[in-house]
CSV table of all heavy atoms in Angstrom, one decimal:
chain,number,residue,atom,x,y,z
W,531,ILE,N,21.1,3.1,7.0
W,531,ILE,CA,22.2,2.4,6.4
W,531,ILE,C,23.5,2.8,7.2
W,531,ILE,O,23.8,4.0,7.3
W,531,ILE,CB,22.3,2.7,4.8
W,531,ILE,CG1,21.1,2.3,4.2
W,531,ILE,CG2,23.5,1.9,4.3
W,531,ILE,CD1,21.1,2.6,2.6
W,532,ALA,N,24.1,1.8,7.7
W,532,ALA,CA,25.2,2.0,8.5
W,532,ALA,C,26.5,1.2,8.1
W,532,ALA,O,26.3,0.2,7.3
W,532,ALA,CB,25.0,1.8,10.0
W,533,VAL,N,27.6,1.6,8.5
W,533,VAL,CA,28.9,0.8,8.3
W,533,VAL,C,28.9,-0.4,9.1
W,533,VAL,O,28.7,-0.3,10.3
W,533,VAL,CB,30.1,1.6,8.5
W,533,VAL,CG1,31.4,0.9,8.2
W,533,VAL,CG2,30.1,2.9,7.6
W,534,GLU,N,29.0,-1.5,8.6
W,534,GLU,CA,29.0,-2.8,9.2
W,534,GLU,C,30.4,-3.0,10.0
W,534,GLU,O,31.5,-2.7,9.5
W,534,GLU,CB,28.8,-3.9,8.3
W,534,GLU,CG,28.5,-5.3,9.0
W,534,GLU,CD,28.1,-6.4,7.9
W,534,GLU,OE1,28.5,-6.2,6.8
W,534,GLU,OE2,27.6,-7.5,8.4
W,535,GLU,N,30.3,-3.7,11.1
W,535,GLU,CA,31.4,-4.1,11.8
W,535,GLU,C,32.2,-5.3,11.2
W,535,GLU,O,31.6,-6.2,10.7
W,535,GLU,CB,31.1,-4.5,13.2
W,535,GLU,CG,30.5,-3.2,14.1
W,535,GLU,CD,30.2,-3.7,15.6
W,535,GLU,OE1,30.5,-4.8,15.9
W,535,GLU,OE2,29.6,-2.8,16.2
W,536,THR,N,33.5,-5.3,11.2
W,536,THR,CA,34.2,-6.3,10.6
W,536,THR,C,34.1,-7.6,11.5
W,536,THR,O,34.4,-7.6,12.6
W,536,THR,CB,35.7,-6.0,10.4
W,536,THR,OG1,35.7,-4.7,9.7
W,536,THR,CG2,36.5,-7.0,9.7
W,537,ILE,N,33.7,-8.7,10.8
W,537,ILE,CA,33.7,-10.0,11.6
W,537,ILE,C,35.0,-10.7,11.5
W,537,ILE,O,35.4,-11.0,10.4
W,537,ILE,CB,32.5,-10.8,10.9
W,537,ILE,CG1,31.1,-10.0,11.1
W,537,ILE,CG2,32.4,-12.1,11.6
W,537,ILE,CD1,30.0,-10.7,10.5
W,538,SER,N,35.6,-10.8,12.6
W,538,SER,CA,36.9,-11.6,12.6
W,538,SER,C,36.7,-13.2,12.4
W,538,SER,O,37.7,-13.7,11.8
W,538,SER,CB,37.6,-11.2,13.9
W,538,SER,OG,36.8,-11.7,15.1
W,539,ASP,N,35.7,-13.7,13.0
W,539,ASP,CA,35.5,-15.2,12.9
W,539,ASP,C,35.1,-15.5,11.5
W,539,ASP,O,34.0,-15.0,11.0
W,539,ASP,CB,34.5,-15.6,13.9
W,539,ASP,CG,34.6,-17.1,14.1
W,539,ASP,OD1,35.1,-17.7,13.2
W,539,ASP,OD2,33.8,-17.7,15.0
W,540,GLU,N,35.8,-16.4,10.8
W,540,GLU,CA,35.4,-16.7,9.4
W,540,GLU,C,34.1,-17.6,9.4
W,540,GLU,O,33.4,-17.5,8.4
W,540,GLU,CB,36.6,-17.6,8.8
W,540,GLU,CG,37.9,-16.8,8.7
W,540,GLU,CD,39.0,-17.6,8.0
W,540,GLU,OE1,38.7,-18.8,7.7
W,540,GLU,OE2,40.0,-17.2,7.7
W,541,ASP,N,33.9,-18.4,10.4
W,541,ASP,CA,32.7,-19.2,10.4
W,541,ASP,C,31.4,-18.2,10.6
W,541,ASP,O,30.4,-18.5,9.8
W,541,ASP,CB,32.6,-20.1,11.5
W,541,ASP,CG,33.8,-21.3,11.3
W,541,ASP,OD1,34.2,-21.4,10.2
W,541,ASP,OD2,34.2,-21.9,12.3
W,542,ASP,N,31.5,-17.4,11.4
W,542,ASP,CA,30.4,-16.3,11.5
W,542,ASP,C,30.2,-15.6,10.3
W,542,ASP,O,29.0,-15.4,9.8
W,542,ASP,CB,30.7,-15.3,12.8
W,542,ASP,CG,30.6,-16.1,14.0
W,542,ASP,OD1,30.0,-17.3,14.1
W,542,ASP,OD2,31.2,-15.5,15.1
W,543,ALA,N,31.3,-15.1,9.6
W,543,ALA,CA,31.2,-14.4,8.4
W,543,ALA,C,30.5,-15.2,7.3
W,543,ALA,O,29.6,-14.8,6.5
W,543,ALA,CB,32.5,-13.8,7.9
W,544,LEU,N,30.9,-16.5,7.2
W,544,LEU,CA,30.3,-17.4,6.2
W,544,LEU,C,28.9,-17.7,6.5
W,544,LEU,O,28.1,-17.7,5.6
W,544,LEU,CB,31.2,-18.8,6.3
W,544,LEU,CG,30.7,-19.9,5.3
W,544,LEU,CD1,30.8,-19.3,3.7
W,544,LEU,CD2,31.4,-21.1,5.5
W,545,TYR,N,28.5,-17.9,7.8
W,545,TYR,CA,27.1,-18.1,8.2
W,545,TYR,C,26.2,-16.8,7.8
W,545,TYR,O,25.1,-17.0,7.2
W,545,TYR,CB,27.0,-18.4,9.6
W,545,TYR,CG,25.6,-18.5,10.1
W,545,TYR,CD1,24.8,-19.6,9.9
W,545,TYR,CD2,25.0,-17.5,10.8
W,545,TYR,CE1,23.5,-19.7,10.3
W,545,TYR,CE2,23.7,-17.5,11.3
W,545,TYR,CZ,23.0,-18.7,11.1
W,545,TYR,OH,21.7,-18.7,11.4
W,546,GLN,N,26.8,-15.7,8.0
W,546,GLN,CA,26.0,-14.5,7.8
W,546,GLN,C,25.8,-14.3,6.2
W,546,GLN,O,24.7,-14.0,5.8
W,546,GLN,CB,26.7,-13.3,8.3
W,546,GLN,CG,26.0,-12.0,8.2
W,546,GLN,CD,26.7,-10.8,8.9
W,546,GLN,OE1,27.6,-11.0,9.6
W,546,GLN,NE2,26.2,-9.7,8.8
W,547,LYS,N,26.8,-14.7,5.4
W,547,LYS,CA,26.8,-14.6,4.0
W,547,LYS,C,25.8,-15.6,3.5
W,547,LYS,O,25.0,-15.2,2.6
W,547,LYS,CB,28.2,-14.8,3.5
W,547,LYS,CG,28.2,-14.6,1.9
W,547,LYS,CD,29.6,-14.9,1.3
W,547,LYS,CE,29.6,-14.7,-0.1
W,547,LYS,NZ,31.0,-14.9,-0.6
W,548,ILE,N,25.8,-16.7,4.0
W,548,ILE,CA,24.8,-17.8,3.5
W,548,ILE,C,23.4,-17.4,3.9
W,548,ILE,O,22.5,-17.6,3.1
W,548,ILE,CB,25.2,-19.2,4.0
W,548,ILE,CG1,26.5,-19.6,3.5
W,548,ILE,CG2,24.1,-20.2,3.8
W,548,ILE,CD1,27.1,-20.9,4.1
W,549,SER,N,23.2,-16.9,5.1
W,549,SER,CA,21.9,-16.5,5.5
W,549,SER,C,21.4,-15.3,4.6
W,549,SER,O,20.2,-15.4,4.4
W,549,SER,CB,22.0,-16.0,7.0
W,549,SER,OG,22.4,-17.1,7.9
W,550,LEU,N,22.3,-14.4,4.3
W,550,LEU,CA,21.8,-13.3,3.6
W,550,LEU,C,21.4,-13.7,2.1
W,550,LEU,O,20.4,-13.3,1.5
W,550,LEU,CB,22.9,-12.3,3.4
W,550,LEU,CG,22.6,-10.9,2.7
W,550,LEU,CD1,21.6,-10.2,3.4
W,550,LEU,CD2,24.0,-10.1,2.5
W,551,GLU,N,22.2,-14.6,1.5
W,551,GLU,CA,21.8,-15.2,0.2
W,551,GLU,C,20.5,-15.9,0.3
W,551,GLU,O,19.7,-15.8,-0.7
W,551,GLU,CB,22.9,-16.1,-0.3
W,551,GLU,CG,24.2,-15.4,-0.6
W,551,GLU,CD,25.3,-16.4,-1.1
W,551,GLU,OE1,25.2,-17.6,-1.0
W,551,GLU,OE2,26.5,-15.9,-1.5
W,552,GLN,N,20.3,-16.8,1.4
W,552,GLN,CA,19.0,-17.5,1.4
W,552,GLN,C,17.8,-16.4,1.6
W,552,GLN,O,16.7,-16.7,1.0
W,552,GLN,CB,19.0,-18.3,2.8
W,552,GLN,CG,17.7,-19.1,2.9
W,552,GLN,CD,17.5,-20.1,1.9
W,552,GLN,OE1,18.4,-20.6,1.2
W,552,GLN,NE2,16.2,-20.5,1.7
W,553,CYS,N,18.1,-15.4,2.3
W,553,CYS,CA,17.0,-14.4,2.4
W,553,CYS,C,16.7,-13.7,1.2
W,553,CYS,O,15.5,-13.4,0.9
W,553,CYS,CB,17.4,-13.3,3.5
W,553,CYS,SG,16.2,-12.0,3.8
W,554,HIS,N,17.7,-13.4,0.3
W,554,HIS,CA,17.5,-12.8,-0.9
W,554,HIS,C,16.9,-13.8,-1.9
W,554,HIS,O,15.9,-13.3,-2.7
W,554,HIS,CB,18.9,-12.4,-1.5
W,554,HIS,CG,19.5,-11.2,-0.9
W,554,HIS,ND1,20.7,-10.6,-1.4
W,554,HIS,CD2,19.1,-10.4,0.1
W,554,HIS,CE1,21.0,-9.5,-0.6
W,554,HIS,NE2,20.0,-9.4,0.2
W,555,ILE,N,17.1,-15.0,-1.9
W,555,ILE,CA,16.4,-15.9,-2.7
W,555,ILE,C,14.9,-16.0,-2.3
W,555,ILE,O,14.0,-16.0,-3.2
W,555,ILE,CB,17.1,-17.3,-2.8
W,555,ILE,CG1,18.5,-17.3,-3.4
W,555,ILE,CG2,16.3,-18.4,-3.4
W,555,ILE,CD1,19.3,-18.5,-3.5
Side-chain angles (χ1 to χ4, degrees):
I531 302 178
V533 179
E534 187 177 18
E535 298 181 0
T536 304
I537 302 178
S538 57
D539 191 351
E540 295 183 358
D541 294 339
D542 292 344
L544 180 61
Y545 173 77
Q546 185 173 354
K547 183 178 181 181
I548 294 175
S549 300
L550 184 62
E551 291 178 353
Q552 177 67 25
C553 178
H554 283 183
I555 289 180

